[in-house]
Amino acid sequence: MTKDVIALTERMPDPLSVLAGLLAGGPDLRVETTGEGAVVQLCDAEGRPLVSIEVPLLLQVPGEAARLLGPGAGPSGDGPLWWIEARAAVGVPQAEQLAGAFAARLTMLLGGRVWPPDAPGTTGAARPVDVSGLTAVPVPAAAQPAVDMLTDKAAVILQDRPVVPMTSWLSEALRATLESDRTLQILTPPHCRLSLPTRLLLQTTSSRWVVQDERCGYYDGLTGAVLRWQDDAFSPARDENGETPVADAFEEVSPTVGERQLVVSFRTLHRPTADLVLGGALEAAWQALTGGPPASWGTSEPAGLTWSRRQLTDLAYERAPRSTWMVAVGTPDRPAVATLRVIRSTEGVEEDVTLTLGYGPGEEPALEALPGLAEELVTRYGLKTMMCQLREARRDLSAPPRFEHPPLPYAFVLGPAEVREAGLDTARRTPLKEPPVQLGHSSRPGFYYPLGDGGTAESWTALEQLVRHLRGAPPL
């Protein structure tokens, strides 16, 4: 089912090398461009796409290819590499072979490796692929090059990778489906996992992760609901009682003994001044919890750009007043991934951040750093609210199609503006066992609320009590 082939090259793909890769399929193919030149397509004689090739992406930080494709995916050494992705049209004979031939020719000329290493067309790729009589299946232009099947209700994308990342073409497909009132449905075999950014975006939209299963057919990889193809989309099945069964495979929990994740979600608000530089709150959180700044960032995965607050700010201002979604990634020794959304609102410029860090057996989450981080975010970065949670989950931060324990609250933070809205006395005196820690200046304080050890469901009770108290609701 694999339809993606990736060339990971040691040297920058120059125009002549790309041309040589395109000609690896032989002289009978046409070359077209789409997406304002961002995507090059190999087409049949009638102009229908067979292979779509993304613009080369420079990965400046070691480990990013291995995070998404597995150990040994990139060229040897710690230097930068180029990621060139080719996607073959589904249901077209030999399209995968064309994609493999393109990637193999590039790596032969520029050094590097092809993923997957056994992709069709990579062996003897210097020989042209026989494309006689080869035609593509026409699809509506609205389908995007990434979409494998399009209906009035859904856009279905087939994926078979170790980890399904939020690539530039996948994020574009997500945007296009939302704008056309469709749902994006990613269909994978059961061994695939989702990257953290992909999981978060699917959870916050109407999109769905569809997992193939030999016992029940299909199920939702995030909820376990058994699915059926009905009314032009995958949707929950119903039994004789009208209820949706849960797939047995979803309940076969994979052990994560000693593996945990620390999830820190916060929102900041800034005045839109000319000298505002964004990303400071995220950098401060990363520094406090890992000892260093993020390694790389980007507007999709893989995140190939070296961390730069100035470049991040310039991009957000260029796209304003539209919101800008970004991802930041850490180094291999400390798994950490964050999503950042910059929003221009009537109040100012908001940054909505979710930072997740992974810990293995014998590694302790940096919980002692959280009060100091909250203090810094309140005094320097306009913190509105912050939630800190712990969960039993994979150290590498990817999401398997299995049940995972939900995160448990560990601490909650209220910024000065929210304290003023709730009332100072209300914010200071709570029904919790532990008193809050006052943050910032006494004239405009924030508060850090411990909610327990983050290991039992009692922390949910504490959070509910706190929220009801701050909102002025009577206790349960």
Side-chain angles (χ1 to χ4, degrees), residues 207-259:
S207 305
R208 191 183 297 279
W209 180 16
V210 183
V211 181
Q212 290 180 318
D213 181 68
E214 59 183 12
R215 286 172 286 185
C216 70
Y218 304 95
Y219 69 92
D220 189 306
L222 297 177
T223 68
V226 175
L227 304 174
R228 296 285 183 269
W229 180 259
Q230 46 196 358
D231 298 328
D232 293 331
F234 286 103
S235 55
R238 305 291 181 185
D239 60 18
E240 60 273 10
N241 299 319
E243 299 179 349
T244 299
V246 175
D248 292 338
F250 183 78
E251 296 182 316
E252 295 170 354
V253 180
S254 301
T256 54
V257 179
E259 293 185 90

Side-chain angles (χ1 to χ4, degrees), residues 153-165:
K153 294 185 178 180
V156 180
I157 292 178
L158 308 182
Q159 285 286 273
D160 187 357
R161 303 186 182 204
V163 177
V164 179

Side-chain angles (χ1 to χ4, degrees), residues 362-376:
E363 297 178 324
E364 291 298 325
L367 302 178
E368 73 286 346
L370 293 175
L373 169 62
E375 174 85 22
E376 183 175 8

Side-chain angles (χ1 to χ4, degrees), residues 278 297 308-320:
L278 301 172
W297 74 286
S308 169
R309 291 179 56 194
R310 171 50 61 188
Q311 291 180 0
L312 182 154
T313 302
D314 291 344
L315 176 64
Y317 272 79
E318 180 182 322
R319 294 186 174 185

Side-chain angles (χ1 to χ4, degrees), residues 91-375:
V92 181
Q94 298 174 275
E96 278 187 82
Q97 192 174 3
L98 286 170
F102 165 79
R105 178 68 66 88
L106 273 188
T107 56
M108 180 184 70
L109 295 173
L110 302 172
R113 300 178 185 176
V114 176
W115 183 91
D118 58 350
T122 55
T123 302
R127 296 192 302 270
V129 178
D130 181 12
V131 294
S132 58
L134 180 57
T135 58
V137 179
V139 295
Q144 306 294 319
V147 173
D148 297 306
M149 182 167 60
L150 186 72
T151 72
D152 290 339
K153 294 185 178 180
V156 180
I157 292 178
L158 308 182
Q159 285 286 273
D160 187 357
R161 303 186 182 204
V163 177
V164 179
M166 185 50 61
T167 59
S168 58
W169 58 260
L170 186 56
S171 62
E172 176 61 20
L174 177 60
R175 181 198 61 79
T177 54
L178 293 176
E179 289 181 353
S180 61
D181 292 326
R182 292 180 172 92
T183 176
L184 179 68
Q185 303 191 332
I186 301 175
L187 175 61
T188 76
H191 60 260
C192 295
R193 292 171 277 122
L194 300 185
S195 74
L196 179 65
T198 302
R199 176 175 66 83
L200 291 176
L201 282 178
L202 293 190
Q203 288 178 323
T204 56
T205 65
S206 60
S207 305
R208 191 183 297 279
W209 180 16
V210 183
V211 181
Q212 290 180 318
D213 181 68
E214 59 183 12
R215 286 172 286 185
C216 70
Y218 304 95
Y219 69 92
D220 189 306
L222 297 177
T223 68
V226 175
L227 304 174
R228 296 285 183 269
W229 180 259
Q230 46 196 358
D231 298 328
D232 293 331
F234 286 103
S235 55
R238 305 291 181 185
D239 60 18
E240 60 273 10
N241 299 319
E243 299 179 349
T244 299
V246 175
D248 292 338
F250 183 78
E251 296 182 316
E252 295 170 354
V253 180
S254 301
T256 54
V257 179
E259 293 185 90
R260 289 183 292 175
Q261 296 176 3
L262 171 61
V263 185
V264 181
S265 304
F266 56 89
R267 174 167 287 200
T268 62
L269 176 66
H270 314 280
R271 294 175 55 197
T273 59
D275 59 349
L276 174 63
V277 180
L278 301 172
L282 174 57
E283 183 175 273
W286 216 294
Q287 185 76 42
L289 299 175
T290 72
S296 58
W297 74 286
T299 56
S300 61
E301 293 180 288
L305 300 172
T306 301
W307 175 252
S308 169
R309 291 179 56 194
R310 171 50 61 188
Q311 291 180 0
L312 182 154
T313 302
D314 291 344
L315 176 64
Y317 272 79
E318 180 182 322
R319 294 186 174 185
R322 295 174 297 160
S323 65
T324 299
W325 181 89
M326 309 172 204
V327 59
V329 177
T331 55
D333 61 307
R334 168 55 58 225
V337 177
T339 59
L340 165 65
R341 188 178 295 277
V342 179
I343 306 166
R344 181 65 187 269
S345 68
T346 55
E347 296 181 276
V349 180
E350 297 185 11
E351 294 181 274
D352 194 352
V353 176
T354 297
L355 168 60
T356 306
L357 304 100
Y359 301 88
E363 297 178 324
E364 291 298 325
L367 302 178
E368 73 286 346
L370 293 175
L373 169 62
E375 174 85 22

